[in-house]
Amino acid sequence: AEDPPPVRVQVTDGDKGLVWTADEYYRLRTVHRLIGAMVGGLPGFRQQDQVHGLPLQLSPEEVTLAVSRGWVTLYEAPDPLADVTADEGGAPPAKEARRPPQANRKGWGVKPKPGQGAKKARGDAGGDGDVARMLANTSFVTVPLREPDEGDGEREEGDGRTVQWTYPRTGTQRARCAVFADLHDRGLTMTTGIKFGADFLAYPGDPMAYHAGFCVRVVPDDAHMRCQHLSGWARTAHGARKNLVLASAVAAGNDGDGDDGRLRVEYLTVMPDVEQSSNARYRKV
């Protein structure tokens, strides 16, 4: 059987990627262990924020790993605001709106004045004049409701163009990508760890089936660390039944062979002291 084509990822602002089809999302999750986060709304649940649907949003580290392994191809969708058509019909400016009558204390509307209905009937209320005044000085924007190439499967000219992935650009970003790739190579599956004050959560398998065992924080190798910060990170991770992992990325050429740009990842694991915890009596002898 032929290998499936690379997953198409739309590049967005903020160095993130969007995946628009269910088949590509399933392949990224089951084959490549890239989880991402659903950010789309479900048509039947427009007023909720608990369950999301497509598109799938990939983090910068996930896109960087996928690009380096050849799992995805990147493209940039056309800007929907580039084709804005303004109303240039020369409609007369709207007249200054009168202040509506205030309701009385009992909540009933104010009784119309004599002849007010006849005056309104003589005007063009509800006609073309009101429509022209409402549309004066307005503009129209085309909002895309689907992935640009969705439909007949053929890409039309201008639907999207391939882009060059420029992330990471700083030392901190390179360290995050190096740690993410190293943990992925070790068989772990990562998601964002922002809920627990960490950079990543590391799972032994799919997050739908496993509990995260590690809260991973990426720290500079030569950074000075305050005891209060270390204690807070450890208490947060241990309170959620996870181990705290401090990861650093150092140049692999520090052994005298020269710096070739490669990074070596080092880890320090902070485990809870079971003897001093409230669960010590449950420890197996």
Side-chain angles (χ1 to χ4, degrees):
E2 297 182 358
D3 294 334
V7 175
R8 299 188 66 246
V9 176
Q10 176 187 344
V11 177
T12 65
D13 295 337
D15 296 317
K16 293 181 175 62
L18 296 179
V19 178
W20 290 86
T21 65
D23 292 339
E24 292 177 322
Y25 156 68
Y26 180 79
R27 182 153 34 111
L28 284 176
R29 188 178 186 111
T30 58
V31 178
H32 305 304
R33 291 184 286 112
L34 296 181
I35 305 302
M38 292 290 191
V39 296
L42 299 178
F45 303 92
R46 295 185 296 273
Q47 303 299 326
Q48 58 83 34
D49 195 37
Q50 298 296 325
V51 181
H52 295 277
L54 293 172
L56 173 75
Q57 180 176 275
L58 299 176
S59 66
E61 294 79 20
E62 289 174 323
V63 177
T64 301
L65 178 64
V67 170
S68 64
R69 305 293 170 85
W71 298 338
V72 301
T73 58
L74 305 180
Y75 71 96
E76 188 177 28
D79 185 3
L81 300 180
D83 188 17
V84 175
T85 57
D87 183 10
E88 300 179 354
K95 296 181 180 180
E96 183 179 358
R98 295 181 179 179
R99 184 176 182 181
Q102 300 293 330
N104 56 27
R105 297 180 181 178
K106 296 183 179 180
W108 301 95
V110 178
K111 183 178 180 181
K113 297 179 181 180
Q116 182 177 357
K119 182 178 179 180
K120 182 177 181 181
R122 289 194 300 268
D124 57 350
D128 296 338
D130 283 349
V131 175
R133 284 191 292 270
M134 286 187 297
L135 297 181
N137 301 324
T138 60
S139 60
F140 302 92
V141 178
T142 301
V143 179
L145 299 181
R146 64 179 186 178
E147 195 264 343
D149 290 345
E150 185 180 347
D152 56 5
E154 297 293 334
R155 176 183 294 186
E156 298 180 359
E157 186 68 23
D159 274 344
R161 59 184 182 86
T162 59
V163 296
Q164 188 72 23
W165 185 249
T166 60
Y167 191 94
R169 293 179 292 272
T170 65
T172 301
Q173 294 173 351
R174 285 191 291 270
R176 288 175 58 91
C177 291
V179 171
F180 187 92
D182 187 76
L183 292 174
H184 190 276
D185 292 340
R186 294 173 183 266
L188 297 173
T189 301
M190 274 69 63
T191 63
T192 179
I194 190 172
K195 291 193 301 182
F196 300 97
D199 293 299
F200 309 112
L201 291 181
Y203 297 78
D206 192 287
M208 295 292 293
Y210 293 90
H211 179 77
F214 305 97
C215 287
V216 183
R217 288 191 63 93
V218 181
V219 296
D221 181 61
D222 56 350
H224 296 279
M225 189 178 304
R226 296 176 62 90
C227 295
Q228 294 91 332
H229 294 167
L230 179 60
S231 177
W233 300 339
R235 288 294 296 270
T236 303
H238 298 164
R241 299 182 181 274
K242 298 170 177 54
N243 294 321
L244 173 65
V245 177
L246 303 179
S248 298
V250 298
N254 286 346
D255 53 0
D257 296 336
D259 188 2
D260 56 359
R262 293 182 296 123
L263 296 177
R264 182 181 71 255
V265 181
E266 298 177 348
Y267 301 97
L268 174 64
T269 303
V270 182
M271 301 178 62
D273 189 353
V274 179
E275 294 293 341
Q276 300 296 328
S277 68
S278 59
N279 295 328
R281 61 182 180 274
Y282 299 109
R283 184 173 61 88
K284 295 182 180 180
V285 179

